[in-house]
Amino acid sequence: MLGNGKTAGRRAAAVRERLGALAPDVRLPDRYQLVQSLKAAAAAALAWALTGWWLAAPMALMAPWAAVALVQGTVYRSLRSAVELLAMMACGTLLAAGAAAVTGNTMAAMLIALPLTVLLGNWLPVGEQGLYAPTTALFVLAYGTYSLPAVGHRLLETLVGAVVGIAVNAIVLPPVHSLHVRTLACALPRNCSRLLRELSEGMAEEYDEERAERWHRAAGELPGALSDLRAARGWATESFRFNPGHRMRRSTPSPSERWDVVWAQVVNRLLALTLTLWETASERRGLPRPPARSLEDLSAVMAAASEVCATDATIMEEGPDDGCLEQRARQLAGARHALAEAKGQLRGPGPDAGASLGSLVAGCQALLDDLTPGEDGSALLAGAARTGRI
């Protein structure tokens, strides 16, 4: 008995440990998810009440089902999905009723209607709405009534649910997604600044292959952030289409698309720089490290560039002011001075070390050029101008 108690205690401790490991990955629903869920539930209840009271439907399933499905992430998506959903549910209803009328048997009708509706949903360009064709056919066959009035009743219930779902999504806190764009736009320079700081600290020390590989992997994650930003821009643009209440909702001006272009260039520079550092740390590549003095100068370039990126993130979040712009200019000037010192070392090392040093110097030069204001504005000003802050 004592041994069994100890075993049970160890199992309980193991379960608690696993739950503790999973806890950081479990996130509570955010405000948007909570609001949309409540709206979907309210739309379903309203559609059920309308069809039950107005149409006197004994089992008004189609209406709340359609209402829940059409509380989408944007009003435009609700309208577009409504057309697809109504078409799929009408096809499922008509095919199921026709198959049942011809065969007079539910099982035989199911064997005829389901392959056709599944094929139709997969073939037509309706995305997730294609699933509603076969599932509607199943529900119609489960009802057991296939007369013309019964089919018309099912279609009318679906139409009522679609109207209710669209109306609730458009009138009650219509979703606007502009805030996410700004959040992701601010994250790009902040993540670049963090990586540049790590590069600066590592180059001032004796970095090894494992550490350089981590840098390159971190740089490889940055294009994913750019993809997320582009997707968020699409959502933000879509959320304003056919949205009657977007002016009453809190929205955040987005940076211009020039911001994305500049930071895509910066990300590409970081990928190239971290790859070169990884190769110089690898014994298999045979590319020697640059001299220690050159690495110190390049470390200073990375440190100053990191501060420039951090300042860009601050300006995007809080808006530009004279103090921040002057600080950014000083940091950029310091980076260029350190780069000039590194260029002075190009003639010293041998051809192999000179090749690695030249690659790093060229990457740093391109990085600073990307972060430098141009004639058409700058990475910073072109992005901030769209926000209305300047």
Side-chain angles (χ1 to χ4, degrees), residues 330-381:
R330 288 195 302 270
Q331 293 161 347
L332 198 55
R336 289 199 175 277
H337 177 74
L339 181 63
E341 295 291 331
K343 287 180 178 179
Q345 308 292 325
L346 285 173
R347 296 182 180 180
D352 291 338
S356 58
L357 177 58
S359 177
L360 292 173
V361 167
C364 289
Q365 175 74 60
L367 174 65
L368 297 184
D369 289 343
D370 293 335
L371 294 173
T372 299
E375 294 180 359
D376 60 341
S378 71
L380 173 66
L381 301 183

Side-chain angles (χ1 to χ4, degrees), residues 107-121:
M107 179 59 71
M110 195 175 296
L111 292 175
I112 294 174
L114 285 183
L116 293 176
T117 52
V118 171
L119 176 62
L120 189 66

Side-chain angles (χ1 to χ4, degrees), residues 38-247:
L38 293 175
K39 284 166 59 176
L46 182 58
W48 181 286
L50 282 176
T51 50
W53 167 69
W54 179 36
L55 300 178
M59 187 178 177
L61 178 62
M62 309 294 276
W65 187 29
V68 169
L70 293 180
V71 179
Q72 298 276 335
T74 65
V75 177
Y76 168 77
R77 190 154 298 197
S78 292
L79 290 168
R80 188 187 68 185
S81 298
V83 176
E84 299 169 347
L85 182 141
L86 288 173
M88 289 296 97
M89 295 182 80
C91 290
T93 300
L94 295 174
L95 286 173
V102 169
T103 61
N105 181 273
T106 301
M107 179 59 71
M110 195 175 296
L111 292 175
I112 294 174
L114 285 183
L116 293 176
T117 52
V118 171
L119 176 62
L120 189 66
N122 291 330
W123 175 57
L124 293 177
V126 293
E128 298 177 355
Q129 311 305 324
L131 180 64
Y132 288 95
T135 50
T136 301
L138 286 173
F139 283 131
V140 169
L141 293 173
Y143 271 121
T145 53
Y146 319 118
S147 64
L148 186 60
V151 170
H153 210 279
R154 301 287 88 79
L155 295 177
L156 182 58
E157 291 176 19
T158 303
L159 180 60
V160 170
V163 171
V164 169
I166 294 171
V168 169
N169 200 36
I171 296 172
V172 181
L173 298 175
V176 174
H177 299 281
S178 60
L179 184 61
H180 195 43
V181 175
R182 189 171 182 80
T183 301
L184 291 174
C186 294
L188 268 173
R190 190 181 302 111
N191 292 338
C192 291
S193 173
R194 185 182 303 112
L195 179 57
L196 283 166
R197 190 181 308 113
E198 292 177 4
L199 293 177
S200 173
E201 295 172 355
M203 292 171 69
E205 304 169 357
E206 189 70 19
Y207 62 91
D208 56 10
E209 181 179 358
E210 182 180 356
R211 191 174 186 182
E213 183 181 0
R214 287 201 304 270
W215 293 338
H216 189 60
R217 287 180 178 176
E221 295 174 359
L222 295 175
L226 281 167
S227 299
D228 292 341
L229 177 56
R230 296 189 186 101
R233 284 190 184 279
W235 272 97
T237 302
E238 184 180 304
S239 67
F240 283 93
R241 299 176 66 180
F242 304 108
N243 190 333
H246 73 271
R247 296 185 182 277

